[in-house]
Amino acid sequence: MRLDRLWLTDFRSYAAAEIEFAPGLTALLGANGEGKTNLVEAIAYLATLTSFRGAPNEALVRAGADLAILRAEGEREGRALLIEAELRPTGRGRVLVNRQRLARARDLLGALRVIVFAPDDLELVKGGPAGRRDYLDDVLVSRRPSLDPLRSDLDRILRQRNTLLKQSGGRLTPEIESTLTVWDAKFVDVAERLATERARLVDELGPVLSSTYEEVAGRDVEVVARYEAPWREQGLAAALAAVRRDEIRRGVSLVGPHRDELLLALDGLPSRTHASQGEQRSLALALRLASHHVVTAATGSPPILVLDDVFSELDDDRSAALLRHLPAGQTVLTSAAGLPPGARPELVLQVAGRSVSRP
Ligand SMILES: Nc1ncnc2c1ncn2[C@@H]1O[C@H](COP(=O)(O)OP(=O)(O)OP(=O)(O)O)[C@@H](O)[C@H]1O
Ligand SMILES: [Mg+2]
């Protein structure tokens, strides 16, 4: 998988831009606010159809324009790949792969795989469990796009189930009970499949994470990753029966994969509460690199690695260690502070004045 060229029309700060990428490492340099992250956001959008910054489409379309177009040329499995995607402030537009229109924009998932590491990823370790669940689900879908519906089905079922629980007004009538029973059959099915996938993925990530952590932190500490889903022991149907009265009283779904946790520990101490800021940052980076490994192993080709403004947050030793251990494949890094020491990019591009050029 390789991205050779990208064209942006009315995307973020760019009215029109054309950018080429090297097969190995490309560095995008430029001062704050010049549009470096906007560029890598465009690459990642083509992989996931969302902004890795969590921005709505309205923010991705250039202010004042009503349509953005992303066009990418590259190679996948030895064949030419051309992706064209439209974005509207209100949502997605047409998506074409090799000039064939896709029936659903979602069918684009898997055409391009991208792993992004950005400064906000500190939250992966430091923040609440939702970010870690999303991390797992993103890796699952990146490896196997056919799992995407499982994720959206779970969201939909939970929304409907919660609406019903709220409507009950705290009283378990026979009508509520029978509707809940219908929802719960679907909930149990989707929940158990998703949790099984997540738990398997965590088993695979564990050993990889120990080595990627050592690579970036330069320390051989014991890294533990464990998927915690207490309801799985008894099964979701039994767990739901046990909390039914509480759920009715509180009007929300209290057990299931939406409450699960990916526990991370360094030398036996939970990283969320005990690790230092630097250790949390290294662990977040190790999580992204570990996902790069498992996606490569499953798909046979390395995803594109994006390192957005990562080096400013790392000390010199850790920067050098990261650059030494860059996985095989294509990498795009951005920096506002010049080239990180030790980086040997094949291509350096300067981002300034809403355009991209060779210095
Ligand atoms: N929809 C939009 N329309 C027009 N301009 C936009 C839009 N969205 C963002 N911008 C502009 O893009 C610029 C930010 O670009 P970007 O985040 O890529 O900067 P950067 O080079 O990564 O900076 P830093 O080094 O601070 O991270 C801002 O000046 C912002 O105003
Ligand atoms: Mg940026």
Side-chain angles (χ1 to χ4, degrees):
M1 174 163 300
R2 207 183 59 230
L3 174 65
D4 295 328
R5 215 168 267 276
L6 180 69
W7 290 263
L8 310 182
T9 308
D10 290 331
F11 183 87
R12 287 284 199 184
S13 50
Y14 295 96
E18 179 182 343
I19 310 101
E20 63 177 311
F21 296 92
L25 178 61
T26 301
L28 301 172
L29 308 180
N32 293 138
E34 292 291 352
K36 302 177 297 296
T37 302
N38 293 346
L39 273 180
V40 292
E41 190 176 37
I43 302 175
Y45 183 90
L46 290 172
T48 59
L49 292 168
T50 54
S51 156
F52 75 84
R53 294 197 252 196
N57 273 31
E58 197 190 344
L60 302 181
V61 177
R62 193 166 68 94
D66 46 31
L67 177 72
I69 301 171
L70 300 178
R71 185 155 174 265
E73 211 174 71
E75 189 214 80
R76 187 174 67 143
E77 288 161 6
R79 297 208 193 112
L81 174 69
L82 173 68
I83 303 175
E84 294 157 289
E86 295 177 350
L87 296 77
R88 296 179 187 279
T90 48
R92 296 167 188 166
R94 288 183 306 170
V95 179
L96 287 84
V97 172
N98 294 339
R99 305 199 186 276
Q100 298 285 317
R101 183 165 177 186
L102 301 182
R104 294 164 306 181
R106 199 169 81 187
D107 295 337
L108 180 64
L109 299 178
L112 204 64
R113 283 182 290 269
V114 177
I115 305 267
V116 182
F117 181 67
D120 280 355
D121 281 350
L122 182 58
E123 282 301 305
L124 257 184
V125 177
K126 200 177 182 172
R132 287 180 289 281
R133 290 192 297 265
D134 282 344
Y135 162 79
L136 293 177
D137 293 346
D138 287 345
V139 180
L140 286 174
V141 173
S142 177
R143 286 207 300 191
R144 195 139 54 92
S146 60
L147 290 175
D148 186 57
L150 197 56
R151 184 183 197 174
S152 41
D153 284 353
L154 180 73
D155 288 344
R156 183 177 45 83
I157 292 168
L158 278 170
R159 267 201 311 277
Q160 278 157 332
R161 199 174 180 275
N162 287 342
T163 305
L164 182 68
L165 288 169
K166 272 196 202 81
Q167 275 169 1
S168 76
R171 287 181 38 240
L172 187 59
T173 62
E175 292 78 41
I176 298 280
E177 176 106 59
S178 69
T179 317
L180 256 185
T181 308
V182 174
W183 277 116
D184 285 1
K186 296 181 199 173
F187 183 32
V188 167
D189 172 52
V190 168
E192 290 189 339
R193 281 192 288 146
L194 183 63
T196 303
E197 293 289 346
R198 285 181 182 168
R200 264 195 218 134
L201 172 61
V202 174
D203 286 344
E204 270 176 69
L205 281 169
V208 185
L209 197 52
S210 296
S211 55
T212 54
Y213 186 81
E214 188 176 348
E215 283 166 13
V216 292
R219 292 221 196 112
D220 181 15
V221 303
E222 188 205 17
V223 186
V224 169
R226 194 169 61 232
Y227 189 63
E228 296 196 315
W231 55 270
R232 288 182 81 213
E233 263 174 48
Q234 47 181 327
L236 187 56
L240 287 173
V243 295
R244 174 139 298 177
R245 301 220 154 264
D246 278 350
E247 286 196 324
I248 293 286
R249 191 164 45 80
R250 293 173 53 185
V252 286
S253 299
L254 293 173
V255 287
H258 60 298
R259 292 281 179 112
D260 292 350
E261 170 66 299
L262 166 62
L263 181 99
L264 299 165
L266 293 177
D267 273 341
L269 299 175
S271 308
R272 181 182 179 191
T273 48
H274 289 60
S276 76
Q277 179 103 338
E279 288 169 336
Q280 289 176 336
R281 198 174 295 288
S282 296
L283 186 54
L285 178 54
L287 281 166
R288 293 295 183 204
L289 294 175
S291 69
H292 190 281
H293 281 271
V294 299
V295 171
T296 305
T299 61
S301 83
I304 299 166
L305 179 65
V306 169
L307 301 171
D308 185 30
D309 200 11
V310 164
F311 293 91
S312 58
E313 312 272 355
L314 297 173
D315 63 31
D316 286 355
D317 285 351
R318 288 181 187 209
S319 293
L322 171 59
L323 286 163
R324 265 199 314 279
H325 292 106
L326 281 185
Q330 199 169 22
T331 300
V332 179
L333 70 79
T334 77
S335 169
L339 211 53
R344 301 270 176 278
E346 283 168 49
L347 178 64
V348 176
L349 298 172
Q350 201 67 43
V351 183
R354 310 201 177 277
S355 73
V356 185
S357 58
R358 287 172 178 254

